[in-house]
Amino acid sequence: MDTKKRISMGVAALILIGVYFVPIWSISMDAPQYPEGIGMNITVDNIQGKEKNDLQNINGLNHYIGMKEINPDSIPELKIMPFIFGFLIISGVVIAIVGDRKWILFWLGIFVLLAIAGLVDFYIWGYDYGHNLNPDAPIKVPGMTYQPPLLGSKQLLNINATSLPHIGFYISLLSMGIAGTVWWKSKED
Amino acid sequence: MSKMLKKSLLWPFAVVAAIGFLSMGCSSNGEFGSSSDAAEKVYVAPGEHDEFYGFFSGGYNGQLGVYGLPSGRHIFTIPVFSQAAVNGWGYNEETKPMFQTSDGFVPWGDAHHPELSQTNGETDGRWVFINENNTPRIARIGLDEFRTQEIIEIPNSAGNHASSFVTPNTEYVTAATRFSVPMDEDNLQNMDVSIDSYKDNFQGTISFIKVSDEGHMNIDFQIRMPGFNYDLSHSGKGPSDGWAFFTSYNSEEAHTMLEINASKNDKDYIAAINWEKAAEYAANGEGKMIPGEHYRNYIDHEEGGVAKSELIEEVRVLDPRELDGLVYFLPTPKSPHGVDVDPSGRYIAAGGKLSTVIPVHSFDKMMTAIENEDFEGEEQGIPVLNYESILHGEVENPGLGPLHTEFDDKGNAYTTAFISSEIVKWDVETLEVVDRIDVYYSPGHLMIPGGDSQNPDGKYLVALNKITKDRYLPTGPEMFHSAQLIDISGEKMQLLLDFPTEGEPHYAQGIAAEKVKENQKRFYEIEGNNHPHAAKSEKETRVERDGNEVHVYMTTIRSHFAPDNIEGIKVGDEVYFHVTNLEQDWDVPHGFAMKGANNAELLIMPGETMTLKWEPKKVGVFPFYCTDFCSALHQEMQGYVRVSSEDSDVEVSYSTGQS
């Protein structure tokens, strides 16, 4: 691998630092009673309201239907994720220094697997919140579950919930793309 | 022949029919009534905002009405000088001190003239001030939260009518006494003397209230004035900045049957006060400090949201007989009511309510006359300028009973004529009447957004009517007063809309909505709640007994109280419910009403704490509940207090959510 490709691989790893500063995923909700919208952003180590008190207000709404309170402190994934990205950054840089093409594939494979695992975990998390309702909930709609969509929009009562990747996710995709290109281009080396 | 006769007999009928047909749909000057074109101009589609906020004094309801313009929609009422049971203003422990005066607790007021704060002669959307006529006071209302934040009492004053008008950078708010009263020469203390000693003993005062950057008000100085009735005011601007003008009537100094006895003189006076010079005198310690007990009451959310009352013992008084260049009298026909300075600051229009012309003074000429000591005499030590020397001119045929004038951005003035029930538009330079429009019935003040500032929005005019007989569905002997919205953007004035207003609005002020909206508070940060009795989470809720005082630290959130079961209260206790609303969302107040309480409810905004005092008088279990529909489970938002006999040994206990 030539220097240029090593630098590219280094860049692929290092741009992941950006993930620490921006949200990875976003859930927005629209309803007539919330004309300005309400929503939350998932970052590498936290879940935050889009506006200052959105999370509190979402929890306020959720308690009517018996959904668990969304409490970032009680979600173990948010404690692990910073280390996963840390591992990807450091290992990516090491691979760039060593310059061994086959390790890039290995790195990419782990990255993709982690990403899939993350999405599966996110789905399970959403399934649990949407189905595992408090039997004492004030409002019970027969047959109704409140699982948010994994990707795209879904109508939950009169609330339209939209779940979309945020900048952090696209940074990850870009990182994979760069690493993949480096691997592909270095075939002739 | 008979045919001819028939024909000639029918002729008059034909003429009458023709006239009737021609005049159909166009009464008097064609501007009465409205058209579909007018409807379009005032239509604000659902979800869209009005272009202007209008602040209308509530007159004898003591409050301030907020209206959207051009729709005329009543948006809100801000409680100011009168208790408002709707949200506990003046009933709850936090706001009761706002009604403190040197006469004790005064729970009602007569609110007359709102005035928006200004910066560089333009409305700035920070505050609106308003005067109270009966127990002389001035309030400051913050437009960040649409709440009264401060009320200051004016000592040595009786009937605070000529206020609250601001100087171009809100350096001062002015106030002048409507009624002169007997005051001793040295200390201006009200005296026990015969009323017919008016000419010997009665005096007036004009007050200048300094406004700090945070809005806090204090009386910088008062000016002792002859015993006239002071009516209205406006500050100078541009070249006349530094001066303030006050109309007076009763220069006859009559004390009975004023309708005759105070209407004799051909001219009364506008008092021109050089406030810049007065401020200098005051800063240099001129004049003297005299006793003048008055209260300043203020409430600040950041400081805990509990009103504080401060007694101020003294006030500085300047005497124009001793200090040169302070006050000049401008002779003005006849019993002048309004005094209005045009946007250029060069002309001072008076509303001589018994005059057949509108006299307009020139500020330049006034200054020249002062320089040349062109005086026609003196009135109780105050120089009286020569009418002819200071006059810019008189507006001829302005209608009967001209009262108030506001201005547009094109050099026009608009004056209400009370007796002839019309608004007359005239050119400020040429003094020619260019248009007039009838209004229902007798108009008092009028308002153009920014119309008394240096930068009017000359789009709409609101005529505030004093009498409103048949504009709406009848509601018995009493009815709301009427306002009429008139389009002044074109050559001809056009009536667009009638809308009813609360109380008897005297004056109104208007401001572009954009200047206000961006600074709006939507809720209070719970972390910023510095109320001494706040419970900022359900964990902090508790009930504490201290002798016969019981303090309940309670929280509200959709849709429950914590605690919702309280026991151990006894007959004869003083129970204080300190209720904190934990919500952090826009427009989720919670109400709190206690059965049998002798005051009012609480209406607590998100993040805020309010206190209701309750003195239970009967044994039993009493419910309390949320009054403001807060959620699907609002009706379930309730609780119970058990009240035991005075000698019972039931211990204080409380709980939430145990079944």
Side-chain angles (χ1 to χ4, degrees):
Chain A
M1 251 166 66
D2 60 23
T3 316
K4 213 170 130 193
K5 294 199 183 72
R6 286 181 185 202
I7 290 170
S8 297
M9 183 57 209
V11 168
L14 288 171
I15 58 169
L16 290 176
I17 293 169
V19 172
Y20 290 88
F21 302 98
V22 290
I24 297 170
W25 208 271
S26 138
I27 298 177
S28 314
M29 288 175 277
D30 282 308
Q33 68 269 34
Y34 284 98
E36 285 152 348
I38 184 169
M40 52 193 170
N41 289 328
I42 300 162
T43 64
V44 72
D45 64 344
N46 204 357
I47 298 179
Q48 292 165 323
K50 284 187 189 285
E51 294 297 328
K52 190 161 182 265
N53 299 298
D54 277 8
L55 197 59
Q56 177 182 341
N57 292 328
I58 289 168
N59 282 330
L61 290 175
N62 287 352
H63 108 271
Y64 290 115
I65 51 171
M67 248 166 100
K68 270 187 289 187
E69 192 180 314
I70 300 168
N71 179 2
D73 293 338
S74 67
I75 298 172
E77 287 88 334
L78 296 173
K79 297 195 171 56
I80 302 166
M81 278 222 289
F83 294 103
I84 292 175
F85 276 98
F87 163 75
L88 286 170
I89 292 164
I90 292 164
S91 58
V93 169
V94 169
I95 290 164
I97 293 165
V98 173
D100 194 331
R101 180 171 176 264
K102 67 172 182 291
W103 283 103
I104 294 178
L105 193 61
F106 198 59
W107 186 82
L108 257 177
I110 289 174
F111 199 170
V112 170
L113 281 178
L114 283 168
I116 291 168
L119 286 173
V120 169
D121 182 62
F122 182 43
Y123 178 85
I124 292 169
W125 178 83
Y127 185 91
D128 180 53
Y129 268 80
H131 286 80
N132 190 5
L133 303 173
N134 184 345
D136 290 335
I139 299 172
K140 281 182 220 150
V141 183
M144 184 73 192
T145 64
Y146 301 94
Q147 185 181 359
L150 186 67
L151 189 70
S153 289
K154 189 177 170 189
Q155 193 75 19
L156 299 168
L157 299 182
N158 79 332
I159 295 169
N160 185 37
T162 303
S163 174
L164 288 173
H166 211 290
I167 302 171
F169 186 85
Y170 296 112
I171 290 174
S172 304
L173 275 188
L174 184 67
S175 170
M176 287 179 193
I178 294 169
T181 311
V182 171
W183 178 75
W184 183 258
K185 292 266 182 180
S186 57
K187 221 163 28 173
E188 303 97 47
D189 295 353
Chain B
M1 183 66 203
S2 66
K3 213 174 180 183
M4 280 281 282
L5 187 68
K6 227 181 209 169
K7 216 175 174 182
S8 63
L9 278 175
L10 287 175
W11 261 105
F13 292 104
V15 172
V16 169
I19 290 171
F21 183 75
L22 283 172
S23 59
M24 248 175 66
C26 75
S27 56
S28 70
N29 59 4
E31 277 114 8
F32 264 33
S34 229
S35 62
S36 61
D37 171 41
E40 225 169 78
K41 284 181 173 172
V42 300
Y43 182 71
V44 177
E48 281 178 17
H49 289 169
D50 276 290
E51 190 180 350
F52 294 97
Y53 281 101
F55 298 96
F56 289 57
S57 71
Y60 45 67
N61 85 357
Q63 318 292 40
L64 183 68
V66 186
Y67 294 78
L69 299 177
S71 73
R73 296 184 291 202
H74 181 192
I75 306 170
F76 198 53
T77 299
I78 305 169
V80 188
F81 296 113
S82 296
Q83 282 176 300
V86 64
N87 60 6
W89 175 253
Y91 289 99
N92 61 41
E93 299 307 303
E94 285 73 19
T95 56
K96 274 190 211 164
M98 294 299 281
F99 290 81
Q100 189 61 41
T101 75
S102 60
D103 294 303
F105 183 80
V106 178
W108 167 84
D110 185 16
H112 275 236
H113 309 116
E115 176 90 343
L116 290 157
S117 58
Q118 295 187 6
T119 303
N120 299 324
E122 268 190 60
T123 56
D124 58 23
R126 288 183 292 168
W127 309 300
V128 54
F129 300 90
I130 191 164
N131 64 321
E132 205 272 270
N133 193 34
N134 182 55
T135 306
R137 288 177 279 181
I138 284 182
R140 176 177 55 81
I141 293 140
L143 294 185
D144 53 346
E145 49 177 12
F146 280 63
R147 277 186 174 180
T148 303
Q149 295 170 341
E150 187 170 353
I151 295 178
I152 191 166
E153 193 185 357
I154 317 286
N156 308 318
S157 179
N160 176 36
H161 195 268
S163 71
S164 48
F165 298 95
V166 302
T167 53
N169 283 298
T170 321
E171 297 96 338
Y172 286 101
V173 177
T174 62
T177 194
R178 170 174 167 190
F179 310 103
S180 284
V181 286
M183 292 196 270
D184 74 54
E185 187 58 28
D186 290 335
N187 288 326
L188 296 180
Q189 296 305 290
N190 204 339
M191 297 190 291
D192 172 16
V193 294
S194 166
I195 297 166
D196 67 14
S197 71
Y198 193 105
K199 284 189 182 169
D200 299 326
N201 289 320
F202 283 48
Q203 303 188 53
T205 57
I206 291 178
S207 308
F208 283 79
I209 299 155
K210 188 108 192 103
V211 183
S212 77
D213 289 344
E214 293 77 40
H216 289 315
M217 301 187 283
N218 74 284
I219 300 173
D220 197 22
F221 55 88
Q222 293 190 309
I223 298 175
R224 172 199 297 257
M225 295 294 286
F228 308 156
N229 291 33
Y230 297 89
D231 210 5
L232 275 159
S233 167
H234 264 106
S235 294
K237 54 191 82 144
S240 54
D241 187 13
W243 289 77
F245 304 92
F246 296 81
T247 47
S248 66
Y249 62 98
N250 195 19
S251 56
E252 297 85 348
E253 299 193 85
H255 56 83
T256 181
M257 192 66 168
L258 261 61
E259 65 166 336
I260 302 293
N261 294 325
S263 303
K264 288 183 171 158
N265 288 350
D266 186 42
K267 292 190 176 68
D268 293 279
Y269 303 114
I270 290 173
I273 294 182
N274 187 339
W275 63 258
E276 223 159 52
K277 188 159 222 170
E280 248 175 65
Y281 281 137
N284 294 336
E286 300 276 359
K288 68 171 187 174
M289 298 301 290
I290 63 158
E293 280 198 352
H294 61 284
Y295 276 92
R296 184 173 87 87
N297 311 315
Y298 62 98
I299 189 165
D300 186 334
H301 183 81
E302 275 68 43
E303 288 178 18
V306 183
K308 296 181 184 78
S309 276
E310 193 179 291
L311 178 66
I312 302 161
E313 313 255 357
E314 284 188 316
V315 63
R316 177 176 301 281
V317 175
L318 306 179
D319 192 333
R321 295 170 298 184
E322 291 161 8
L323 298 167
D324 273 349
L326 211 55
V327 187
Y328 298 90
F329 278 138
L330 320 180
T332 305
K334 185 182 173 176
S335 297
H337 186 56
V339 53
D340 301 283
V341 183
D342 86 306
S344 78
R346 294 171 56 215
Y347 301 114
I348 303 137
K353 61 181 184 273
L354 306 176
S355 167
T356 52
V357 295
I358 300 171
V360 182
H361 297 304
S362 152
F363 180 74
D364 288 347
K365 288 184 179 177
M366 182 191 103
M367 291 308 282
T368 311
I370 291 172
E371 215 167 286
N372 299 337
E373 303 198 348
D374 185 2
F375 305 141
E376 65 172 41
E378 207 184 75
E379 180 76 63
Q380 301 182 36
I382 294 168
V384 178
L385 298 171
N386 201 326
Y387 181 65
E388 298 301 330
S389 310
I390 57 172
L391 194 70
H392 166 56
E394 292 174 339
V395 182
E396 302 286 341
N397 192 19
L400 277 180
L403 290 188
H404 299 285
T405 302
E406 295 244 316
F407 304 89
D408 68 11
D409 49 350
K410 303 176 218 40
N412 296 306
Y414 301 78
T415 301
T416 49
F418 180 80
I419 300 169
S420 56
S421 291
E422 59 185 330
I423 287 169
V424 180
K425 175 181 175 182
W426 48 277
D427 185 295
V428 177
E429 281 297 337
T430 67
L431 303 172
E432 268 161 27
V433 171
V434 292
D435 191 22
R436 52 212 309 153
I437 187 170
D438 289 331
V439 292
Y440 277 101
Y441 281 80
S442 305
H445 278 274
L446 75 172
M447 176 270 271
I448 292 169
D452 72 341
S453 75
Q454 282 175 265
N455 189 14
D457 288 295
K459 210 167 169 182
Y460 302 109
L461 180 156
V462 179
L464 295 148
N465 292 325
K466 295 292 192 195
I467 305 159
T468 173
K469 280 178 188 147
D470 59 1
R471 299 306 276 178
Y472 314 109
L473 287 172
T475 56
E478 192 190 353
M479 61 190 102
F480 274 10
H481 282 259
S482 183
Q484 296 200 306
L485 184 80
I486 292 165
D487 182 350
I488 55 165
S489 58
E491 290 273 299
K492 295 286 287 174
M493 291 182 270
Q494 189 201 357
L495 176 62
L496 298 180
L497 181 71
D498 276 335
F499 58 96
T501 53
E502 280 187 284
E504 186 219 310
H506 288 257
Y507 187 38
Q509 288 258 288
I511 186 170
E514 294 308 320
K515 289 193 193 175
V516 176
K517 277 197 283 193
E518 59 193 40
N519 299 322
Q520 283 307 281
K521 279 202 174 102
R522 297 182 167 195
F523 57 86
Y524 299 101
E525 302 281 347
I526 192 85
E527 305 96 76
N529 181 329
N530 294 317
H531 192 288
H533 298 290
K536 295 189 195 180
S537 72
E538 288 194 8
K539 280 178 222 127
E540 295 176 29
T541 58
R542 64 204 184 275
V543 181
E544 287 170 358
R545 174 179 285 285
D546 176 13
N548 75 330
E549 265 185 32
V550 179
H551 291 269
V552 179
Y553 297 85
M554 184 181 270
T555 61
T556 62
I557 195 141
R558 282 164 284 186
S559 328
H560 65 272
F561 291 98
D564 65 3
N565 277 206
I566 298 168
E567 303 198 5
I569 307 294
K570 297 174 196 174
V571 170
D573 280 347
E574 285 182 4
V575 183
Y576 292 88
F577 293 99
H578 307 290
V579 187
T580 303
N581 181 349
L582 296 177
E583 304 283 352
Q584 293 288 275
D585 200 358
W586 198 12
D587 192 38
V588 194
H590 288 294
F592 177 80
M594 184 71 231
K595 183 175 188 285
N598 292 124
N599 32 36
E601 68 155 342
L602 299 175
L603 191 67
I604 314 134
M605 296 303 124
E608 200 177 34
T609 304
M610 289 210 159
T611 304
L612 186 88
K613 186 180 173 183
W614 178 53
E615 294 169 283
K617 293 174 191 69
K618 298 177 197 163
V619 167
V621 172
F622 296 85
F624 56 85
Y625 68 98
C626 172
T627 54
D628 188 334
F629 208 106
C630 57
S631 71
L633 296 165
H634 159 75
Q635 205 67 1
E636 283 75 3
M637 189 162 173
Q638 62 179 49
Y640 289 108
V641 181
R642 175 183 169 193
V643 178
S644 307
S645 67
E646 221 159 330
D647 53 4
S648 110
D649 51 10
V650 178
E651 288 293 311
V652 161
S653 66
Y654 53 92
S655 61
T656 325
Q658 289 135 13
S659 52

